[in-house]
Amino acid sequence: MLIKGIAASSGISIGKVFKVKKEKIVTSNEKVENIQQEISKLEVALDISEKEIMIIRDKTARKIDRKHGAIFDAHIQILRDPELLNNTIGIIKNRKLNAGRALQITVDKFVKIFEEMDSEYMRERASDILDVSNRVLGHLLNQNINDPGLMEKEGIIVAQDLTPTDTASLDKEYVKGFATDKGGRTGHSGIMARTLEIPAVVGTKTIMENSSEGDDIIIDGEEGIVIINPNEEQLKEYRKKEKIYKDNKKRLKKFKWRETKTKDGKKIELAGNIGCPEDLSGVLNNGGESIGLYRTEFLYIGKKYCPSEKEQLQAYKEVLKKMDGKSVIIRTLDVGGDKSIEYMNTSKEMNPFLGNRAIRLCLERHDIFKEQIRALLKASSYGNLKIMFPMIATIEELRDAKKMIEICKEELTDEGIEINENMEIGMMIEVPSAALLADKFAKEVDFFSIGTNDLIQYTFAADRMNEKVSYLYQPFNPALLKLIKMVVDASHSHGKWTGICGEMAGNEKIIPILVGLGLDELSMSSSSILRIREIIGKIEYEKAKEIAKAALNMNSNKEVEKLLEKNFSY
Ligand code: PEP
Ligand code: MG
């Protein structure tokens, strides 16, 4: 069966389905005769769950750090809590209920108590109890609760969607690709797949319904196709495609040490996007000249608490040191939207992407924002740091954010801490209002970086996570190109520079227009860097300028796409 979706991360992968299900487990009121047998079942499920949690704990400790691994020790404590066990056994014995139902009754009671407590810390324990009990229930009722963090052999993940926590726990050693029902190209899971350099197709709508655990599967991250149980012919075809893809990757290696410039000598900086210090090697191996976007939210996601100043400093310092004087743009916290954080206690919103997100949330939660700015300033003396604010919509937001830098600078100077005084401060252009007033903003920042994932979403009023409106992801549309031109021109007229760090920067087809519009820097997933360098080397700047000018006068995404196809082939 062939299913079409959205190509989210390039490459071909052939393997077996590893299904991740996240349904709520429902228990029945069925009575039991053999009490002892029911208690034994419960004990077995507890043992298996404990082993699983231990595996995840050790992996997390290896991948992130011991402290995060320790969160799972708390899960084991819950699992072995005598009250939880005795209460459940009591219900099995007294009410002759099956072990699953008995556990659920106990858990519901405990969760209610915790949820009603005043302390935020205690309320959080309620979700830990639910997490743990769901795992035990899954084993009791023989319901598969495959967890991506538990993969121990190679496979291709099939899921309805992957949460940022799921993607943070993906292990490249085992995950050879993934396909999801939901999501768009610029959602978090697609971005993570590109960073990890694993093929992915998202927004398939029906992959969960049409696949079973252990099925053979092909992921074509180039065309956005998934094939379940392929026939011999398809397998042959895709093995060939896989080889071509790999050979091409090898061929591109020769561009690793080359300068990025057009045929007629116009230089453009090619940078990499990262989500954590571990992603750096991908950027460096692929010849990235700098870091154009460090998404710091992954330091905050999937944890039970806010990362401390010390913990953040360590991560920022590591990146700056490894980049050895090359530019590193660190973006301040951008959560909300599709990335929610439990411990921030944000309220449910009707339109999360239009809600309390990114800089808006930081300006409300000064405590969290301050901790990050302090960590960044402390890190600034270890390399070439540039701080960037996300989602700025008004000049007041920018000024308030900059004020926080001033407050922290003063504090740290008083504490005798060294700070790099020449650090550049920039902002992302992701909201049309900021693009339209770029000439005003340009006076108050050192650089712009256009976040086209969001700028497209807000310009076309189309949720980037909703596959039904993914046709409105229109990077060639002149409406968007006009906004980009305004931003680039505004920055240049004030002696500042502009980059793009949205996924569009790594789109092979659009590159001539980005060059022609005068972008100074392009920052992308590491897997795209070498190919984009090769393409830029084939373009003439003068011609690119002409084409960009013509594109601005066209009517539609399609027309511009055709214009490019006619004029550039590489
Ligand atoms: C963007 O919006 O283009 C961007 C780079 O930010 P994110 O994808 O993290 O929202
Ligand atoms: Mg964004």
Side-chain angles (χ1 to χ4, degrees), residues 104-153:
Q104 197 152 52
I105 292 171
T106 311
V107 165
D108 286 350
K109 192 172 100 185
F110 279 40
V111 164
K112 198 158 177 280
I113 296 171
F114 276 91
E115 275 177 350
E116 281 167 2
M117 287 185 178
D118 284 339
S119 138
E120 188 179 330
Y121 177 82
M122 292 314 267
R123 281 199 305 272
E124 272 171 21
R125 302 289 72 75
S127 70
D128 287 335
I129 298 173
L130 276 174
D131 244 29
V132 173
S133 65
N134 235 18
R135 184 177 297 282
V136 183
L137 278 176
H139 290 300
L140 269 175
L141 305 181
N142 271 333
Q143 286 189 19
N144 195 345
I145 50 147
N146 272 355
D147 185 328
L150 271 179
M151 271 178 98
E152 282 190 307
K153 57 178 187 201

Side-chain angles (χ1 to χ4, degrees), residues 329 386-388 424-427 445-449 497:
I329 301 180
K386 298 179 168 79
I387 296 181
M388 173 163 79
E424 287 187 23
I425 312 257
M427 63 180 263
V445 290
D446 297 307
F447 67 91
F448 291 133
S449 185
W497 61 272

Side-chain angles (χ1 to χ4, degrees), residues 469-484:
V469 291
S470 63
Y471 74 96
L472 285 167
Y473 178 76
Q474 300 206 346
F476 302 92
N477 193 302
L480 177 80
L481 302 179
K482 280 189 180 184
L483 290 175
I484 296 179

Side-chain angles (χ1 to χ4, degrees), residues 186-187 191 273 293 295 297 331 334 338-339 353 357 428-430 450-455 464 501-503:
T186 58
I191 290 170
N273 293 349
L293 171 64
R295 290 183 165 96
E297 52 270 22
R331 174 175 79 181
D334 179 357
D338 62 331
K339 299 173 194 136
F353 273 117
R357 201 195 141 184
M428 293 190 73
I429 301 274
E430 307 187 270
I450 308 177
T452 47
N453 304 339
D454 279 316
L455 188 59
R464 64 193 263 194
C501 61
E503 299 309 305

Side-chain angles (χ1 to χ4, degrees), residues 321-520:
K321 277 181 155 177
K322 283 193 180 147
M323 285 306 285
D324 198 18
K326 289 183 200 131
S327 166
V328 176
I329 301 180
I330 304 188
R331 174 175 79 181
T332 60
L333 181 61
D334 179 357
V335 284
D338 62 331
K339 299 173 194 136
S340 65
I341 293 188
E342 253 174 57
Y343 57 79
M344 280 198 183
N345 250 345
T346 44
S347 52
K348 275 238 173 310
E349 296 178 296
M350 288 277 277
N351 292 301
F353 273 117
L354 300 181
N356 199 12
R357 201 195 141 184
I359 200 70
R360 304 169 184 185
L361 188 64
C362 285
L363 290 176
E364 183 195 272
R365 291 293 305 261
H366 269 183
D367 51 336
I368 290 174
F369 193 36
K370 195 171 183 191
E371 211 159 22
Q372 180 169 43
I373 298 291
R374 279 179 59 95
L376 284 167
L377 291 174
K378 279 186 172 178
S380 68
S381 57
Y382 292 92
N384 183 1
L385 168 69
K386 298 179 168 79
I387 296 181
M388 173 163 79
F389 302 118
M391 279 278 291
I392 297 282
T394 69
I395 204 94
E396 288 84 5
E397 283 174 348
L398 173 67
R399 288 176 185 162
D400 285 348
K402 283 177 70 180
K403 202 183 283 163
M404 181 57 93
I405 295 189
E406 287 315 310
I407 292 171
C408 293
K409 261 189 188 171
E410 245 175 64
E411 262 185 31
L412 291 170
T413 313
D414 287 349
E415 290 168 33
I417 289 161
E418 197 190 333
I419 296 164
N420 177 2
E421 284 297 334
N422 300 319
M423 185 181 53
E424 287 187 23
I425 312 257
M427 63 180 263
M428 293 190 73
I429 301 274
E430 307 187 270
V431 184
S433 64
L436 293 165
L437 283 192
D439 59 330
K440 307 289 180 214
F441 284 104
K443 292 181 197 155
E444 305 195 18
V445 290
D446 297 307
F447 67 91
F448 291 133
S449 185
I450 308 177
T452 47
N453 304 339
D454 279 316
L455 188 59
I456 294 176
Q457 131 162 296
Y458 297 128
T459 302
F460 295 89
D463 185 343
R464 64 193 263 194
M465 297 299 290
N466 184 342
E467 62 282 357
K468 286 200 183 118
V469 291
S470 63
Y471 74 96
L472 285 167
Y473 178 76
Q474 300 206 346
F476 302 92
N477 193 302
L480 177 80
L481 302 179
K482 280 189 180 184
L483 290 175
I484 296 179
K485 180 171 164 46
M486 283 178 81
V487 176
V488 175
D489 291 352
S491 69
H492 289 175
S493 67
H494 288 90
K496 311 290 168 70
W497 61 272
T498 298
I500 289 187
C501 61
E503 299 309 305
M504 180 176 169
N507 180 331
E508 295 185 9
K509 285 196 199 159
I510 197 97
I511 293 299
I513 290 187
L514 302 185
V515 171
L517 288 175
L519 266 309
D520 303 285

